Amino acid sequence: MEDLARVVQHRAELTKELLAYFGSMAEIELAPDDDIFALGLVNSLRALEIVVHVESTYGISVDVDDLELDNFRSAARAAAFVARKRGGDSHS
């Protein structure tokens, strides 16, 4: 149970960090599950910036197979993706 609590807390921290980043890009306040693509807040250049930010901030490599919109559609989904790539979240 302690491991699950740690995973949940880690995911919440990642979501908060990514939410702040997404909000600064969009210049509006977003909720963790707001779909930045459906809201029209992200174009292809911004999407690339998100990938570069995730790679450099979290020390992961985003492979071609990872370039699915669903991985970056919201702060919550991006946090789940980062956690999976880091190998620290099997509860995605």
Side-chain angles (χ1 to χ4, degrees):
M1 195 57 122
E2 187 176 308
D3 287 339
L4 179 57
R6 191 176 73 245
V7 167
V8 169
Q9 180 171 347
H10 183 253
R11 175 86 67 90
E13 290 168 3
L14 285 172
T15 300
K16 184 178 177 181
E17 291 170 6
L18 287 161
L19 188 57
Y21 177 71
F22 283 15
S24 71
M25 286 182 66
E27 298 180 358
I28 64 169
E29 190 171 326
L30 296 167
D33 292 313
D34 282 347
D35 185 331
I36 59 175
F37 294 99
L39 292 170
L41 302 174
V42 177
N43 58 26
S44 57
L45 180 59
R46 288 285 191 186
L48 182 57
E49 288 175 7
I50 291 170
V51 170
V52 169
H53 173 79
V54 165
E55 286 183 321
S56 64
T57 302
Y58 299 105
I60 62 173
S61 178
V62 178
D63 302 319
V64 172
D65 292 341
D66 298 326
L67 294 176
E68 297 284 331
L69 287 182
D70 283 344
N71 286 332
F72 304 98
R73 191 170 294 284
S74 69
R77 286 178 183 243
F81 170 75
V82 169
R84 281 193 310 273
K85 289 295 282 189
R86 288 173 133 183
D89 186 358
S90 60
H91 302 285
S92 301

